[in-house]
Amino acid sequence: MAGLAEVPADLPSPVEEVADERLIGKGVGLLLKRDDLIHPDIPGNKWRKLRGNLDEACRLGHDTLLTFGGAYSNHIRAVAAAGRLFGFRTVGVIRGEEHLPLNPTLRFAADAGMRLTYLDRTAYRAKTSPAVVDRLRAEFGVFYLLPEGGSNAFGVRGCAELPAEIDHPFDVICCSCGTGGTLAGIAAGLGPGQRALGVPVLRGAGFLADEVDALQRAAFGANSGTWTMAYDFHFGGYAKSTPQLARFIADFHDRHGLALEPVYEAKLLYALFALAAADAFPPGTTIVAVLNALARPSMPSPTAGN
């Protein structure tokens, strides 16, 4: 198996200033932590979450990784890429029914050597139960189980390294949230006077506060750092969108030349601009927004929601 040191990764990822009159007028500075540039196939929090898990899998002598995700999961794509790069066999357990031909995400995963299997939505909700895991072991043999999104103690500790890489003074660091692992880690790595803000992309994501707390306790033994969440920017739910969000994405590209990834990062940036417009950040605040990915040409457009 290849070692992590043998695979090129752009760390620390660069920090770029965004000059936008909408923020300048509010006295707010914005920096982008370009984690999307860490690695072309394992960008951002995927690299940070997988690194420790791959080391642990090696330590335990595993040669197979099994994980979970939806049909367009960036995590599934990243685990497949990691398996190809580091010499692991990989299994992706996909939520829902099989649809052929495979979409670009699952085609990438299959081409990278990942075996794909499917669970209906009822079984998927119990995916980590002993009964389901035993069934998967009976089919695929012994494996290292990676949780959905890579969010466990190893993943959280990897994300906790991020704030120390930023050599610009800042007050607030923000990230999008799906499973809560990235926010849990980033908040734990903050310095005095700094706080973290998470923007969930799921509808009804109040449960994520408990998830972040549990992940921090698993990784560090305590709830660590100052963090909050802004729940009102999901635009209808996971992978949902509205014309308003689409206009924001197009406008941001026109102003700053970046094609925001629509499922996570566009909602994050929209939230920051909306909160700044509502005077949620005092004048003089410097915000860091963590970008884990930009839009790929093969990415689907989010479906319109109400």
Side-chain angles (χ1 to χ4, degrees):
M1 290 181 185
L4 283 166
E6 298 172 35
V7 177
D10 186 359
L11 284 169
S13 59
V15 175
E16 299 175 355
E17 184 175 3
V18 172
D20 192 297
E21 65 270 18
R22 295 168 293 180
L23 299 179
I24 294 170
K26 294 290 184 177
V28 173
L30 177 61
L31 304 172
L32 301 181
K33 175 67 166 159
R34 294 293 306 276
D35 263 21
D36 60 290
L37 299 175
I38 289 176
H39 188 278
D41 290 328
I42 317 174
N45 56 358
K46 305 311 175 195
W47 180 276
R48 294 183 188 277
K49 289 179 180 180
L50 285 175
R51 184 172 53 184
N53 276 290
L54 295 177
D55 285 341
E56 180 67 2
C58 287
R59 187 186 73 80
L60 295 174
H62 288 287
D63 61 6
T64 301
L65 309 173
L66 181 142
T67 197
F68 307 91
Y72 290 97
S73 167
N74 290 329
H75 171 69
I76 288 288
R77 191 181 194 278
V79 172
R84 180 174 60 187
L85 286 167
F86 301 118
F88 288 95
R89 290 192 288 269
T90 56
V91 179
V93 183
I94 310 303
R95 180 179 64 248
E97 305 300 324
E98 181 180 24
H99 294 284
L100 297 175
L102 296 175
N103 68 44
T105 298
L106 297 184
R107 172 47 54 198
F108 176 95
D111 289 347
M114 176 175 274
R115 294 180 64 184
L116 301 175
T117 189
Y118 297 82
L119 288 178
D120 65 58
R121 292 177 184 276
T122 299
Y124 193 86
R125 284 192 287 270
K127 59 186 176 294
T128 58
S129 67
V132 173
V133 172
D134 287 347
R135 195 171 90 204
L136 292 169
R137 286 202 174 104
E139 182 173 358
F140 298 107
V142 178
F143 53 74
Y144 181 85
L145 193 152
L146 272 165
E148 187 170 17
S151 290
N152 59 9
F154 296 105
V156 169
R157 292 185 194 118
C159 291
E161 298 172 2
L162 186 153
E165 296 177 4
I166 303 170
D167 57 7
H168 299 66
F170 69 91
D171 306 291
V172 184
I173 185 167
C174 308
C175 66
S176 56
C177 296
T179 58
T182 303
L183 177 62
I186 286 174
L190 294 176
Q194 297 172 334
R195 65 182 179 94
L197 174 66
V199 178
V201 301
L202 314 171
R203 189 176 203 148
F207 69 93
L208 277 179
D210 289 338
E211 293 292 322
V212 172
D213 178 77
L215 286 164
Q216 288 193 330
R217 293 182 188 280
F220 306 110
N223 189 308
S224 181
T226 301
W227 54 271
T228 55
M229 292 196 214
Y231 294 102
D232 297 330
F233 300 97
H234 53 74
F235 290 88
Y238 183 76
K240 300 290 186 180
S241 186
T242 66
Q244 187 178 22
L245 182 62
R247 287 193 296 269
F248 176 82
I249 292 171
D251 179 68
F252 196 88
H253 182 268
D254 289 344
R255 291 171 184 261
H256 305 295
L258 292 177
L260 295 178
E261 183 274 332
V263 177
Y264 288 91
E265 313 307 16
K267 295 179 181 182
L268 167 65
L269 269 296
Y270 184 100
L272 297 185
F273 278 82
L275 291 169
D279 298 318
F281 304 112
T285 299
T286 297
I287 302 170
V288 175
V290 180
L291 290 188
N292 290 299
L294 291 184
R296 298 189 302 271
S298 60
M299 291 186 71
S301 297
T303 56
N306 295 324

